[in-house]
Amino acid sequence: MGDEKKGPAVSRRRVLQSAAAVAGGLGLKAIGLAPSAEAQAPPATTAAPRASGGATMIGVPFEPRPVVRIGLIGHGGRGTSLLHDLLGIPGVTVNAVCDLVKERVESAQNEVEKAGQKRPQGYSSGEHDFENLVKRDDLDVVYIPTPWRWHVPMAVAAMEAGKHAFVEVPAATTIEDCWRLVETSEKTRRHCVMLENCCYGENELMVLNMVRAGLFGDLTHAEGAYLHDLRKVLYDDHEGLWRRDEHFTRNGNLYPTHGLGPVAHYLDINRGDRFERLVSLSSKEASLSATRDKLPASDPRRKDTFTCGDMNTSIIRTERGRTVLLQHDVVTPRPYSRLNHVAGTKGAFYDYPPRIFVDGSGKEEWASVKPYRKQYEHALWTRLRKLASKSGHGGMDYVMSWRLLQCVREGLVPDMDVYDAAAWSAPAPLSEESVKSGGSAVEFPDFTRGRWQEPRLVLVGEPARTAV
Ligand SMILES: NC(=O)c1ccc[n+]([C@@H]2O[C@H](COP(=O)([O-])OP(=O)(O)OC[C@H]3O[C@@H](n4cnc5c(N)ncnc54)[C@H](O)[C@@H]3O)[C@@H](O)[C@H]2O)c1
């Protein structure tokens, strides 16, 4: 692993931070390439260090418990699939469910009863009824698959009520809210885990094993993306009711974590390296307006106007000198891809379809991963393949739920903590900021306050500090 962190990048940043301190509250200006110290200073609300909310949550295991008691807020598309998986995992009880829509609460209650558990208490009395759910004294973990703007208020309420918050992606949409999650988790000693299922994909976990085995050598570059034609979804009666709105006012990488989470694990982000800065540009907007124009003339949504460019391309540089290409496009007619690429001094892997190149293998061509699969299959997939085959997204949803609840039951350190939730969600607001400034570099805050430098392995039973 090349180590450039003590090189000029760091000292330049320290100089710039001093300049920012002298200049005082510079606001949200991105780091430009212009020569003046003020123009280059890190934006106060993004990169400036913050006082700690309490001791770190890095390396803190759950307190072991034989049965995990769950509350669910949100029984829409994602909540339905999460609940289905949870009910197929031993050592789990679902004691409370909440949704704005009464029928969705009832259907969740029926599902739980059908699985042989007691009918859970339902909450459907308005937008803030979740506050009553989180106060219950028979919950350990609150699952939060709701629209993006509710993630932070719900996760904060859950943690403040003494529950671990398992929140859908992206955990937060502003840097301020990323910090709010970090500070609340530290203060309350509750975990905030972002439910990044792609980290548990069969290929992703196989590549993680390959990376650990050194198959690709010293890693220098990775790529992740969310390239998914959601034109229909953005105009449907589920996500369409709230997700299209994000495209009205925001322009950037709105959904960064599916591509970035697995890549962050390959690169030991927050476990020996960290995302340091990002540059971003968006293409023009075209495909969503073309979709809108096919609606009947009487449809009020014909008035929609969109700000978000069809394709956003961001590049992240890490403290240890690696680069990550991160793309977002949910409107172009095209096959699905998260890119899922990693490259180093000895070879490379690319997904969609999966293919590999190992230095010295002869032909300068991608090869099939088939001959590698047995050797590098992840233990979670060896163990869970049969059960996972019935679950969504190629089985990775079940593997994620099973593994995260294993961490809770057995008192392990979670694979993904609040610092990961913050670092993987941050590219959304940071890319918006960079796009606004014409592609200037913006700095990531160090949500770990320096602890990223401690090497740790992800997805193992890690040694315990004090359990929570
Ligand atoms: N990890 C994945 O693969 C994946 C896949 C799909 C969606 N998601 C994420 O899951 C989340 C939910 O997406 P979805 O597709 O289920 O959306 P959805 O619109 O189908 O469901 C959201 C549900 O939340 C409920 N809700 C909204 N506000 C509420 C409130 N204040 N209190 C209680 N309930 C409330 C709605 O009534 C609805 O039933 C989003 O964050 C999305 O990004 C993740």
Side-chain angles (χ1 to χ4, degrees):
M1 192 186 295
D3 185 348
E4 295 181 17
K5 103 187 152 53
K6 292 184 173 59
V10 165
S11 48
R12 178 168 167 268
R13 194 171 59 261
R14 289 222 178 96
V15 169
L16 294 176
Q17 277 168 346
S18 317
V22 172
L26 290 174
L28 263 172
K29 198 180 297 169
I31 303 168
L33 298 173
S36 84
E38 182 173 325
Q40 292 188 25
T45 51
T46 55
R50 297 263 290 236
S52 170
T56 186
M57 288 301 283
I58 288 177
V60 177
F62 291 104
E63 181 185 275
R65 32 176 81 70
V67 174
V68 185
R69 301 165 307 166
I70 287 174
L72 172 74
I73 311 174
H75 192 239
R78 186 62 180 155
T80 301
S81 138
L82 281 172
L83 180 63
H84 176 264
D85 286 342
L86 291 175
L87 293 172
I89 295 171
V92 170
T93 60
V94 178
N95 288 343
V97 292
C98 171
D99 198 288
L100 289 181
V101 182
K102 198 159 180 270
E103 293 70 40
R104 292 188 188 161
V105 169
E106 284 167 1
S107 98
Q109 290 172 311
N110 295 341
E111 281 303 302
V112 177
E113 261 188 331
K114 228 167 60 192
Q117 296 189 18
K118 211 175 113 209
R119 191 169 181 83
Q121 179 80 46
Y123 295 81
S124 58
S125 305
E127 284 196 325
H128 288 271
D129 210 14
F130 71 87
E131 289 163 7
N132 295 315
L133 177 147
V134 301
K135 281 187 207 140
R136 294 174 66 96
D137 60 9
D138 60 352
L139 303 178
D140 304 307
V141 175
V142 176
Y143 273 71
I144 305 171
T146 53
W148 300 345
R149 73 188 175 92
W150 284 106
H151 289 177
V152 173
M154 288 170 173
V156 166
M159 288 188 277
E160 284 182 341
K163 282 69 182 185
H164 301 292
F166 282 17
V167 62
E168 260 304 337
V169 301
T173 57
T174 67
I175 294 298
E176 186 55 35
D177 270 353
C178 288
W179 276 119
R180 230 177 121 203
L181 292 178
V182 168
E183 286 164 358
T184 307
S185 176
E186 289 175 344
K187 186 181 75 189
T188 59
R189 316 307 301 154
R190 299 291 93 181
H191 278 297
C192 176
V193 172
M194 186 172 68
L195 296 167
E196 188 34 86
N197 44 338
C198 299
C199 291
Y200 298 86
E202 184 177 9
N203 285 344
E204 284 82 351
L205 285 177
M206 174 188 71
V207 173
L208 185 64
N209 273 348
M210 290 171 164
V211 166
R212 280 197 185 146
L215 197 62
F216 308 122
D218 185 4
L219 301 186
T220 50
H221 179 73
E223 297 179 11
Y226 190 62
L227 308 176
H228 190 184
D229 179 3
L230 294 180
R231 288 172 301 161
K232 272 204 195 103
V233 170
L234 290 171
Y235 273 101
D236 78 5
D237 289 339
H238 274 273
E239 292 199 351
L241 298 175
W242 54 271
R243 192 161 171 170
R244 199 171 73 260
D245 299 15
E246 305 283 341
H247 292 250
F248 296 164
T249 53
R250 304 174 63 199
N251 187 8
N253 193 315
L254 305 188
Y255 203 61
T257 71
H258 284 335
L260 198 54
V263 156
H265 277 172
Y266 307 153
L267 299 180
D268 294 320
I269 298 301
N270 292 344
R271 292 158 180 79
D273 200 353
R274 79 174 192 97
F275 297 137
E276 192 247 342
R277 60 180 51 213
L278 168 150
V279 294
S280 185
L281 289 172
S282 287
S283 77
K284 69 172 186 167
E285 190 285 321
S287 296
L288 213 43
S289 350
T291 310
R292 170 205 62 198
D293 292 345
K294 289 185 198 139
L295 294 169
S298 58
D299 192 316
R301 296 172 300 179
R302 282 292 288 263
K303 293 204 176 77
D304 288 352
T305 52
F306 302 106
T307 301
C308 198
D310 288 18
M311 169 66 90
N312 175 269
T313 300
S314 304
I315 300 172
I316 300 172
R317 186 168 157 100
T318 74
E319 281 269 3
R320 300 223 189 271
R322 282 92 67 93
T323 47
V324 179
L325 174 83
L326 183 66
Q327 292 190 308
H328 174 264
D329 181 347
V330 294
V331 293
T332 300
R334 54 160 298 153
Y336 182 96
S337 174
R338 296 193 300 272
L339 294 180
N340 190 24
H341 167 57
V342 68
T345 52
K346 292 186 181 168
F349 172 88
Y350 243 120
D351 216 331
Y352 303 94
R355 50 210 195 274
I356 193 165
F357 182 83
V358 178
D359 194 22
S361 60
K363 286 191 211 150
E364 231 175 82
E365 277 174 13
W366 292 107
S368 163
V369 288
K370 257 192 194 157
Y372 295 82
R373 282 208 182 272
K374 202 161 176 227
Q375 185 180 355
Y376 293 102
E377 179 177 75
H378 196 277
L380 279 173
W381 273 89
T382 314
R383 179 173 184 169
L384 299 173
R385 178 176 303 283
K386 216 164 156 201
L387 292 164
S389 66
K390 294 179 202 134
S391 156
H393 293 127
M396 67 188 179
D397 288 3
Y398 185 85
V399 175
M400 171 187 73
S401 289
W402 188 95
R403 165 63 184 174
L404 290 177
L405 293 169
Q406 179 197 31
C407 291
V408 185
R409 276 197 317 271
E410 296 183 10
L412 305 177
V413 175
D415 303 330
M416 305 177 286
D417 57 27
V418 73
Y419 308 99
D420 300 318
W424 305 354
S425 300
L430 294 180
S431 62
E432 288 178 76
E433 195 53 36
S434 179
V435 167
K436 256 188 222 153
S437 71
S440 299
V442 287
E443 293 216 353
F444 280 77
D446 175 10
F447 296 107
T448 72
R449 301 184 186 85
R451 304 290 291 259
W452 62 268
Q453 295 174 78
E454 297 167 15
R456 288 182 299 140
L457 281 182
V458 71
L459 274 142
V460 285
E462 296 180 57
R465 289 190 192 159
T466 313
V468 295

